[in-house]
Amino acid sequence: MGFLYFKGFGTSVIEKHDNDAFFSTRGETLLRLEPDSGLFGKDPVCIKADPFLFVRGGELFLFYEYQKKRYGKGEIWMRKTADLEHWSEDIRVLKEDFHLSFPNVFEDGGRVYMIPETGEDGSIRLYEASDDSLEHWKFVGCLVSDGRMWADSDIRVKDGKYYLFSSIYSRKYFEAHLLVSDSLLGDYAEHPSSPFSTDKSCARNAGRLFEYNGELYRPVQNCSKGYGKQLSIMKVGCLSPDRYEESLCAENIVDTDIAFYKRGGHQFCPVSFKGRTIVATDAIKRIYNILENLNGYCHHLCKRG
């Protein structure tokens, strides 16, 4: 935190070409979503982060966290495109009384679901799209509800088993957990290998797990030098009901020599859309807003008192 600024996030959607390293944030920029503040703005948009891409019906959907004010509650917003050139207007698709982020949208059994981060509620909650527009969502139920602060969840289905990757914030570090179930709605039980990491450099997800060249990978936040500053890629070696193994594949893939990523980032979400490789990323941005910065100092002083 500086005297006149604080940390926010912006989002970028890029296209990978043959000369771009896949495990990097290099590529052709297709879309940028920047925070909207202003030095004296009363309701500054400080965060447009945690982007997830989802392909359905010939359209590419971009879901992301949208947060006004420094200590506001995150909401889930979305925009879409059919040609990667013309994008719809941004629209809010999900709001709760508690903070929302990490809008992980996926398909299972022909239905579209979302598992946003709802750690402030002490749960992992599942929502279902109400129609094909993916603009309206209904709460289905809690996959986990034990009061702990769960963050950044993803589900991977393999051989009829549902593997739920998530993390718990505990005593100023994250603990990576893996749960398993025979169905999407649970019950979920702790995997024998769980918790499988408390390492700041890889315990927290940085997007959904994905396949690349026939291998399975888990993008992870590298928080060893601060929250949101870098991310790495773990290669999954074994995922079974009784064993989970992963190893570091690519370290610190955010290209900080690119101006947009100068201060780092913490999300990597690749998809294939109409034969093109598209990746959603985000990056730390400095928010220069006098009112919110003063509110931040008051907030810290009250916490210390």
Side-chain angles (χ1 to χ4, degrees):
M1 182 176 67
F3 182 70
L4 295 177
Y5 64 85
F6 56 92
K7 183 188 294 185
F9 283 89
T11 277
S12 182
V13 178
I14 61 176
E15 180 178 2
K16 292 286 184 181
H17 298 293
D18 291 341
N19 59 334
D20 298 314
F22 183 79
F23 296 128
S24 74
T25 53
R26 294 190 177 277
E28 178 187 354
T29 302
L30 303 177
L31 177 70
R32 285 271 169 87
L33 302 180
E34 296 276 7
D36 183 10
S37 175
L39 199 58
F40 294 97
K42 292 184 178 180
D43 290 308
V45 178
C46 302
I47 293 178
K48 295 181 180 181
D50 293 0
F52 277 89
L53 297 173
F54 180 73
V55 178
R56 185 173 174 86
E59 293 182 304
L60 179 67
F61 295 80
L62 170 67
F63 295 87
Y64 63 95
E65 173 194 355
Y66 178 99
Q67 180 181 312
K68 286 186 176 181
K69 297 188 174 183
R70 185 172 182 175
Y71 296 106
K73 293 188 182 300
E75 303 169 350
I76 305 306
W77 286 53
M78 179 268 284
R79 64 165 57 190
K80 60 185 178 180
T81 180
D83 59 9
L84 297 175
E85 294 183 15
H86 305 92
W87 294 79
S88 68
E89 295 296 319
D90 299 278
I91 181 173
R92 184 176 67 193
V93 298
L94 188 60
K95 179 183 179 181
E96 293 284 11
D97 294 333
F98 43 84
H99 180 78
L100 299 173
S101 59
F102 205 79
N104 190 355
V105 175
F106 63 98
E107 187 172 350
D108 185 70
R111 297 181 176 183
V112 181
Y113 297 96
M114 181 196 301
I115 303 180
E117 179 187 315
T118 55
E120 192 174 289
D121 182 59
S123 66
I124 301 176
R125 294 164 63 99
L126 181 69
Y127 296 80
E128 182 181 349
S130 301
D131 54 50
D132 290 337
S133 73
L134 307 190
E135 296 178 5
H136 311 98
W137 297 79
K138 58 185 178 182
F139 174 59
V140 176
C142 290
L143 304 183
V144 179
S145 183
D146 58 8
R148 293 187 289 180
M149 189 174 286
W150 294 90
D152 307 333
S153 300
D154 184 35
I155 285 182
R156 185 75 188 178
V157 183
K158 181 184 179 186
D159 300 329
K161 295 288 186 181
Y162 287 75
Y163 295 92
L164 174 57
F165 291 80
S166 194
S167 56
I168 297 174
Y169 182 74
S170 175
R171 297 183 181 179
K172 297 186 179 180
Y173 67 88
F174 277 90
E175 195 174 71
H177 284 254
L178 177 60
L179 297 89
V180 62
S181 171
D182 291 326
S183 68
L184 174 60
L185 296 179
D187 297 327
Y188 283 87
E190 201 85 14
H191 189 277
S193 299
S194 182
F196 62 88
S197 178
T198 57
D199 189 335
K200 288 183 179 180
S201 68
C202 63
R204 190 172 180 178
N205 290 333
R208 69 169 70 95
L209 279 75
F210 61 89
E211 290 188 7
Y212 178 66
N213 287 341
E215 302 287 351
L216 182 61
Y217 296 92
R218 185 173 74 95
V220 296
Q221 298 183 39
N222 184 347
C223 300
S224 59
K225 294 184 179 179
Y227 171 70
K229 289 196 171 183
Q230 264 296 347
L231 67 92
S232 299
I233 305 293
M234 307 297 288
K235 181 178 180 180
V236 177
C238 181
L239 178 60
S240 72
D242 58 2
R243 193 159 60 106
Y244 178 71
E245 295 177 356
E246 65 178 18
S247 58
L248 181 63
C249 170
E251 189 173 20
N252 297 337
I253 69 169
V254 177
D255 297 284
T256 54
D257 56 331
I258 298 175
F260 182 77
Y261 303 101
K262 179 180 179 179
R263 296 178 177 87
H266 70 348
Q267 187 84 349
F268 186 84
C269 181
V271 297
S272 178
F273 179 67
K274 297 185 177 181
R276 299 162 70 175
T277 300
I278 312 299
V279 182
T281 63
D282 65 10
I284 293 174
K285 297 290 150 180
R286 285 182 173 177
I287 307 298
Y288 293 87
N289 184 281
I290 300 296
L291 298 177
E292 288 302 306
N293 216 44
L294 289 174
N295 287 339
Y297 281 109
C298 292
H299 178 85
H300 284 290
L301 287 174
C302 289
K303 287 182 67 176
R304 291 175 63 183

